[in-house]
């Protein structure tokens, strides 16, 4: 059989909003600093606000064609052959309100308006192939395999920030100096000057998109064997893999250099030759969105299925997998440690879970008799999953210009206690009652990175059991009355969230310490009231016709 077709997409995204701004207040444990209540004393660590109109009307089109051939080569062998072409058109703005940063001929940067923020991605050819082989010609042993190359079209949020660049708006950022971070924070007078529309000398936190941006692609493949056991049950064992290339990632192109006696931004001001904001001061952070990240995933997957027979059906699944990437994107901005070497952030994916087991079953109880005795069923779903990675980061932005990205230096063995009620990472005690980590972590020296790998600690596991009791009562041939009672997280097992990963060192009496909340767990994995957070009971009565 042969299938073919096409698709045209006209996607529009209208945005109208203002930015009220945000202030981040610092936290300190140093008794020599009097601003313990940093909010009351206005000890601001960073401030950010976009002044002006950031409205945009973005249009993004797409044009696709595909052809698919399902070819039964012989009675025991079927091939699937396909090819898709995708033109993911570059987004545009209705009033030409995109502005980006480009290198100046004589050095520095200039700001200019652009019609297309990046190149057209119109050469996306996506092949796919698969097969199904009845090995023993009896329909009970089937070997399957497939490979596909697929291209993704980025969402319009990828370029929305270009409408917040000058001349349309002023994205301003203020960061306390290294000295201010341990003393007074940003003075209010500085904040008032920086965020005054009539003032000069503001730090502009600009956004740019790589003009050579390429659509992300993923290669997926699998090989699995399915075997029927008896009349009602089948088992599948398979290997599944994927590789992502040209994945979106954010970099700070104004990152402090690693070599040198003191931090210094490589781009200090906008070039005098810029037609927009010439000579304006640049912030510590200039975000460039590129397509340089990669990912990989490999998994062993085993399933067992039993179709309804003698009142029982069930499905079980076990997955042993490993996912690796440079950054697990989730609208989280700049998260790489070193924007000049994103390969150094390669590690376990944020969502990586090495082992996962899920089982669900429905059993119609074999009770026969009157309407009260018959019609009872029970159903259950159980989940066991290993923990997700935790990335320990420094809160300070003094090393690269971006906080919560640089990992600490590890100088001792890391002990994960596994105790969610204490501290997930074992501390040592000091006489002043605070937690000393000098035997485990250290803050890297100025202009250096930590040696701790990204996502190298694993957080708490996830365990959940749901149970339903169902009673169906036939009133007439067309009417059924169903009563059911459902219990979510039947055992009331607490599924804890991730520990606090922010390493915030301070000096107390000459001893290096950190915030006592470091490594502690303060929440469950899901908000209270969601499935898997706590035991929840519900009953329902339904009239079905």
């Amino acid at each position: 059989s042969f299938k073919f077709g096409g698709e045209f997409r006209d996607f529009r995204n209208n945005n109208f909003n203002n930015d009220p701004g945000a202030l981040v207040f610092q936290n300190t444990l140093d008794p020599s600093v009097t601003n313990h209540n940093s909010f009351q004393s206005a000890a601001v660590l960073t401030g950010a606000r976009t002044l002006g109109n950031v409205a945009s009307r973005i249009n993004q089109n797409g044009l696709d064609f595909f052809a698919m051939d399902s070819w039964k080569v012989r009675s025991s062998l079927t091939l699937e052959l396909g090819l898709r072409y995708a033109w993911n058109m570059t987004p545009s703005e209705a009033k030409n309100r995109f502005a980006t940063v480009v290198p100046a001929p004589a050095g520095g940067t200039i700001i200019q308006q652009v019609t297309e923020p990046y190149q057209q991605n119109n050469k996306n050819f996506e092949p796919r192939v698969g097969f199904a082989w009845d090995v023993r010609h009896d329909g009970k042993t089937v070997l399957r395999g497939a490979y596909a190359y697929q291209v993704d079209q980025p969402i319009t949020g990828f370029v929305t920030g270009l409408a917040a660049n000058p001349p349309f708006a002023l994205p301003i950022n203020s960061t306390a100096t290294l000295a201010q971070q341990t003393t007074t924070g940003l003075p209010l007078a500085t904040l008032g000057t920086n965020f005054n529309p009539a003032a000069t000398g503001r730090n502009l936190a600009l956004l740019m998109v790589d003009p050579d941006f390429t659509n992300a692609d993923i290669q997926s493949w699998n090989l699995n064997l399915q075997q029927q056991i008896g009349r009602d049950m089948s088992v599948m064992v398979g290997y599944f893999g994927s590789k992502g290339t040209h994945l979106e990632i954010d970099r700070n192109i104004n990152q402090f250099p690693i070599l040198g006696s003191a931090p210094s931004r490589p781009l200090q001001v906008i070039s005098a030759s810029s037609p927009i904001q010439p000579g304006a001061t640049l912030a510590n952070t200039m975000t460039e969105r590129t397509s340089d990240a990669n990912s990989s995933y490999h998994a062993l997957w085993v399933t067992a299925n039993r179709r309804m027979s003698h009142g029982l059906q069930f499905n079980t699944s076990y997955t042993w997998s490993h996912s690796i990437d440079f950054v697990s994107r989730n609208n989280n901005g700049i998260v790489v440690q070193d924007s000049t070497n994103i390969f150094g952030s390669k590690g376990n994916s944020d969502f990586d879970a090495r082992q996962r087991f899920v089982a669900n079953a429905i059993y119609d109880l074999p009770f026969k008799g009157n309407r009260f005795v018959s019609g009872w069923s029970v159903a259950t779903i159980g989940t066991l999953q290993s923990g997700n990675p935790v990335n320990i980061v420094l809160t300070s932005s003094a090393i690269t210009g971006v906080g919560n990205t640089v990992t600490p230096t590890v100088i001792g063995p890391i002990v994960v206690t596994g105790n969610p009620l204490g501290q997930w990472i074992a501390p040592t005690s000091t006489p002043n009652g605070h937690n000393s980590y000098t035997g485990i972590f250290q803050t890297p020296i100025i202009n250096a990175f930590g040696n701790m790998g990204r996502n190298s600690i694993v957080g708490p596991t996830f365990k959940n059991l749901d149970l339903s009791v169902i009673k169906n009562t036939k009133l007439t041939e067309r009417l059924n009355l169903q009563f059911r009672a459902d219990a979510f997280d039947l055992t009331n097992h607490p599924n804890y969230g991730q520990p606090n990963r922010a390493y915030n060192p301070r000096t107390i009496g000459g001893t290096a310490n950190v915030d006592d909340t470091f490594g502690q767990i303060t929440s469950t994995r899901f908000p209270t009231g969601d499935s898997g957070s706590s035991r929840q009971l519900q009953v329902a009565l339904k009239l079905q016709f």
Side-chain angles (χ1 to χ4, degrees):
S1 62
F2 184 69
K3 299 179 182 179
F4 62 92
E7 176 185 11
F8 174 75
R9 298 183 301 279
D10 181 9
F11 181 83
R12 308 194 179 200
N13 181 9
N14 298 332
N15 300 280
F16 48 96
N17 64 288
N18 291 319
D19 178 14
L23 298 178
V24 177
F25 294 86
Q26 62 182 353
N27 179 30
T28 179
L29 296 176
D30 192 339
S32 65
V33 180
T34 58
N35 60 342
H36 289 289
N37 190 336
S38 58
F39 181 77
Q40 182 178 5
S41 58
V44 177
L45 185 64
T46 61
R49 186 184 180 190
T50 301
L51 302 177
N53 185 3
V54 295
S56 60
R57 289 163 51 197
I58 302 174
N59 186 50
Q60 184 174 20
N61 297 330
L63 180 64
D64 291 22
F65 299 100
F66 75 91
M68 190 76 184
D69 184 17
S70 180
W71 178 23
K72 201 171 186 66
V73 181
R74 57 184 64 181
S75 60
S76 60
L77 178 63
T78 301
L79 296 182
E80 298 282 347
L81 306 172
L83 179 65
R84 187 180 187 94
Y85 166 77
W87 178 11
N88 297 323
M89 302 180 190
T90 302
S92 60
E93 210 284 329
K95 296 294 184 180
N96 196 27
R97 286 178 292 196
F98 282 159
T100 189
V101 182
V102 296
T109 60
I110 63 175
I111 303 176
Q112 68 178 25
Q113 291 181 247
V114 293
T115 303
E116 294 185 350
Y118 58 84
Q119 65 180 353
Q120 291 287 337
N121 284 259
N122 55 5
K123 299 180 177 62
N124 298 322
F125 294 93
E126 308 169 40
R128 60 192 65 195
V129 61
F131 74 91
W133 178 32
D134 184 355
V135 179
R136 302 173 62 183
H137 303 277
D138 59 2
K140 295 183 178 181
T141 306
V142 179
L143 181 67
R144 294 182 174 89
Y147 167 86
Y149 175 88
Q150 302 171 82
V151 177
D152 178 52
Q153 182 174 24
I155 61 175
T156 55
F158 185 69
V159 297
T160 302
L162 295 178
N165 284 335
F168 317 109
L170 294 175
I172 301 172
N173 179 275
S174 292
T175 303
T177 64
L178 184 60
Q180 290 172 335
Q181 289 184 25
T182 56
T183 53
T184 61
L186 277 169
L188 289 178
T190 301
L191 287 171
T193 300
N194 283 348
F195 294 108
N196 182 354
T200 59
R202 293 163 300 199
N203 295 332
L204 300 183
L206 305 177
L207 170 70
M208 63 178 295
V209 177
D210 182 3
D212 296 323
F213 177 80
T214 303
N215 288 164
D217 65 71
I218 183 170
Q219 300 177 69
S220 303
W221 57 86
N222 72 82
L223 181 66
N224 62 85
L225 181 67
Q226 186 176 23
Q227 176 65 53
Q228 180 177 332
I229 299 175
R231 297 180 54 187
D232 308 312
M233 186 171 167
S234 65
V235 176
M236 187 278 291
V237 179
Y239 160 68
F240 296 79
S242 66
K243 181 181 184 300
T245 312
H246 301 304
L247 305 182
E248 176 195 338
I249 190 170
D250 285 358
R251 301 172 182 251
N252 179 19
I253 62 172
N254 212 15
Q255 175 179 296
F256 294 152
I258 295 304
L259 300 177
S261 58
S264 177
R265 300 190 303 273
L267 300 173
Q268 301 285 337
V269 297
I270 297 175
S271 172
S273 62
S274 174
I276 302 170
Q277 294 286 324
T281 305
L282 294 172
N284 294 340
T285 303
M286 287 181 60
T287 302
E288 181 186 28
R289 292 183 167 169
T290 70
S291 53
D292 298 328
N294 295 333
S295 69
S296 63
Y297 173 81
H298 302 277
L300 171 67
W301 188 16
V302 181
T303 65
N305 292 279
R306 174 191 169 97
R307 61 175 178 258
M308 181 64 75
S309 177
H310 302 289
L312 175 66
Q313 72 175 48
F314 66 80
N315 174 273
T316 61
S317 174
Y318 170 75
T319 306
W320 179 39
S321 64
H322 191 191
S323 181
I324 299 174
D325 56 26
F326 295 167
V327 55
S328 302
R329 291 289 288 148
N330 188 26
N331 290 329
N332 42 10
I334 299 172
V335 295
V336 293
Q337 176 173 240
D338 183 2
S339 290
T340 66
N341 177 28
I342 62 172
F343 300 94
S345 292
K346 183 178 181 179
N348 300 319
S349 301
D350 296 353
F351 51 82
D352 180 52
R354 296 298 173 85
Q355 301 189 69
R356 177 177 172 87
F357 175 80
V358 180
N360 63 78
I362 300 175
Y363 182 49
D364 294 336
L365 299 177
F367 302 146
K368 305 297 181 182
N370 57 40
R371 291 183 176 181
F372 178 78
V373 173
S374 61
W376 290 89
S377 301
V378 293
T380 184
I381 301 176
T383 304
L384 301 174
Q385 178 179 300
S386 55
N388 300 117
V390 181
N391 191 32
I392 306 302
V393 292
L394 299 166
T395 59
S396 173
S397 60
I399 297 177
T400 64
V402 182
N404 295 312
T405 56
V406 177
T407 60
T409 297
V410 179
I411 60 173
I414 301 174
V415 178
V416 178
T417 67
N419 177 15
L421 302 181
Q423 284 188 268
W424 193 258
I425 305 170
T428 57
S429 179
T430 58
N432 57 30
H434 295 287
N435 295 322
S436 174
Y437 289 79
T438 55
I440 302 175
F441 300 126
Q442 279 187 350
T443 302
I445 61 174
I446 297 296
N447 297 335
F449 292 118
N451 61 5
M452 185 176 186
R454 168 176 165 260
N455 282 342
S456 54
I457 293 178
V458 178
T461 60
F462 178 80
K463 301 174 182 178
N464 186 67
L465 178 64
D466 300 335
L467 179 68
S468 298
V469 177
I470 306 164
K471 172 65 171 72
N472 287 299
T473 303
K474 276 287 188 180
L475 302 179
T476 68
E477 290 185 0
R478 295 186 176 183
L479 290 180
N480 178 66
L481 184 66
Q482 183 185 88
F483 168 81
R484 62 182 300 145
D486 301 302
F488 304 100
D489 193 5
L490 177 67
T491 61
N492 205 28
H493 175 79
N495 288 296
Y496 296 100
Q498 297 288 65
N500 178 15
R501 68 191 188 101
Y503 179 75
N504 189 20
R506 290 290 181 266
T507 300
I508 302 178
T511 303
N513 291 263
V514 298
D515 186 342
D516 288 336
T517 62
F518 171 67
Q520 288 189 352
I521 295 176
T522 58
S523 66
T524 55
R525 177 180 283 253
F526 299 109
T528 303
D530 286 359
S531 176
S533 64
S534 61
R535 182 190 294 126
Q536 299 167 66
L537 306 176
Q538 71 177 25
V539 293
L541 188 65
K542 300 179 181 180
L543 181 63
Q544 300 171 332
F545 56 91

